[in-house]
Every structure is written in C-alpha cells, then in structure tokens.
Amino acid sequence: MKGTVLILGASSAIARATAAAFASRGYGLYLAGRDEEELARDAADLAIRHQVPVATGRFDAEAFAQHPAFIEQVVEASGELAGVVVAFGYLGEQSRAVHDWDETLAIIQRNYTGAVSLLNLCANRMEQAGTGFIVGIASVAGDRGRQSNYTYGSAKGAFALYLQGLRNRLAPAGVRVLTVKPGFVDTGMTFGLPGMFLVASPRYVGERIARAVERGRDVLYVPWFWRYIMLIITHIPERIFKRLKL
Ligand SMILES: NC(=O)c1ccc[n+]([C@@H]2O[C@H](COP(=O)([O-])OP(=O)(O)OC[C@H]3O[C@@H](n4cnc5c(N)ncnc54)[C@H](OP(=O)(O)O)[C@@H]3O)[C@@H](O)[C@H]2O)c1
C-alpha cells in the first residue's frame, strides 16, 4: 500500500474516477463528502475491486470551523496522508448570482474559500512530513472571465492562483501540487447545459490526473487541447473580447 489519498467531494463523477485511478495504483482511500450512504456504497465497491483500504467521512466545504477536527479525524483513521484531491465544486447559476448574494457566496465558498480552508491544514501537515501531493481541480473557466459564468470562473481562477503559490511554497519541502484545469466533462454538473463541445468522460479525466501526479506535473489541462484553446481565448484583445457573447 502506497499510503492514503483523501478525496474531498468524493461523490463527484470526476472524483469517483480519480479515486478509482489511485486505488488501481495501490493507494488506500479516504472518501469524504456530504452523503454518507453514497460514500459507504462507493467505498465498498472500490475496496472489493482494488483490494485497498477505503474509509469514509462527512465534511461540508462551507463549515470552516469544523475543518481542523475533520482533518484530525482523517489522519487518526488513515495515518498521515500520501495525497489529497480537492474535487468538490459548484457551478451555480450566473444569472441568479447577479441578483442573489446567497448564490454568489455559495459559488465562491464551494469553489474557493472551502478549498483554501482545507488545503491550508493539509499543506502544513505535508510540509512538516516532507512528503505528499496535493491535487486541486480548478477549471478552464478560471483562465478568462466570461459573462456566462464569471462568478464561478473567478472562484476557480483564484483557486488556481492559490495552488500556484502553494506549489512555490511547498516545492522545497518535497510536496507536489498539481493544478487541474478540465474543459467540458460529462458529469452531473454539466448535464443538460447548452453549448457543450469536445466533452470528455470522467474516467479519462481521472486517469489523466493520477498519471500527472505520477509524472510530477504542475498544471494539467484535460483533455490536453484545452491548453491551446485557452491560449487563443486569453490572447483575444479585451476591446474585441468584451463584445463577444461567451
Ligand atoms: N464537469 C465539468 O465539465 C467540469 C469542468 C471543469 C471543472 N470541473 C470541476 O471538477 C470538479 C468535479 O466536478 P464534477 O463535474 O464531477 O461535479 P459534480 O458531479 O457536480 O460534483 C460536485 C461535487 O461537489 C460536492 N459539493 C458541492 N458543495 C459541497 C459542499 N458545500 N461541501 C462538500 N461537497 C460539496 C458535491 O457533493 P454533493 O453530492 O453532496 O452535492 C459533489 O460531490 C468540480 O470542482 C468542478 O468545478 C468540472
């Protein structure tokens, strides 16, 4: 056994696939989420399929005050972590967020503040141990603000910047930080959304994430071609971009 990977937001489709990819490589798992029954079902399935230990626990990304005790509970159950994956997130509705502060706050907290609260705790432990890896699932939406999802995009963009700083801080301690920027992935989050193209499967994304960790990558656009799509999008001059309906 290679140690335990904590999966935060384990019931997400991408998280499930990532958990399976790590389990198939011999890592134990700690699946954390809000729906304990679902977590227990997933844990039983992964443990049988891959013959690795799988523990579960409840957390809420927005319950900041409970995060220190939650991380203690994880380490008590599974030992110091080999890795942590932040997979939880919330797309929300941009058109609602414009008028509804609660929706705006939910988008920011579920994509950014909650992740920072939990990763601060994990990062300090890994830095002290001098080993471990951190995976943060950001988004291509964080590379440029667009009218259709700029609240979500700004939270993901802030998260990517946080991960970049964390990578810079933790590199001397031997702790690796991977920023994942998926394009469109076929999950509950994107189900029924208009304008989707080049949609990837969660399984493909999960496998790429585990492989990128093995290879010590810093930033992963997944599928790979999104790096070039975003390169073009980020280079469109603002005076033109602001007139586009994106
Ligand atoms: N799908 C895409 O096209 C796409 C593209 C780019 C980036 N991403 C990112 O990839 C990650 C996984 O996305 P997905 O598409 O697999 O999403 P998903 O299936 O909609 O899952 C979202 C996950 O976030 C969890 N979550 C939401 N609020 C939470 C909270 N307050 N506390 C704890 N957990 C919470 C949900 O838990 P519950 O089941 O309890 O609600 C669920 O497990 C997300 O960060 C997403 O932003 C997705």
Side-chain angles (χ1 to χ4, degrees), residues 10 62-63 140 167 175 182 197 216 224 227 230:
E62 294 172 276
V140 295
R167 179 160 48 245
V175 179
F197 57 94
W224 60 271
R227 178 182 292 275
M230 295 319 294

Side-chain angles (χ1 to χ4, degrees), residues 38-55:
E38 200 176 5
L39 293 174
R41 275 197 302 276
D42 286 348
D45 179 61
L46 285 163
I48 290 170
R49 223 182 268 270
H50 300 287
Q51 299 294 307
V52 292
V54 186

Side-chain angles (χ1 to χ4, degrees), residues 9-15 34-35 38 59-62 87-90 110-111 137-140 152 156 182-190:
S11 63
S12 108
I14 294 174
R34 293 189 293 189
D35 184 337
E38 200 176 5
F59 87 105
D60 188 321
E62 294 172 276
F88 58 83
Y90 177 61
R110 292 177 197 174
N111 290 296
I137 305 186
S139 172
V140 295
Y152 173 77
K156 288 299 195 184
F184 294 124
V185 188
D186 184 14
T187 71
M189 185 175 275
T190 50

Side-chain angles (χ1 to χ4, degrees), residues 107-173:
I107 294 172
I108 294 169
Q109 294 196 341
R110 292 177 197 174
N111 290 296
Y112 181 57
T113 333
V116 171
S117 167
L118 286 152
L119 284 188
N120 278 353
L121 299 164
C122 296
N124 291 345
R125 297 193 83 107
M126 287 181 179
E127 186 178 41
Q128 206 167 10
T131 181
F133 64 83
I134 290 170
V135 177
I137 305 186
S139 172
V140 295
D143 282 6
R144 190 157 196 181
R146 293 180 291 120
Q147 60 180 292
S148 58
N149 69 357
Y150 62 88
T151 307
Y152 173 77
S154 69
K156 288 299 195 184
F159 186 35
L161 211 56
Y162 169 85
L163 292 167
Q164 191 177 46
L166 202 57
R167 179 160 48 245
N168 187 211
R169 169 192 153 197
L170 296 178

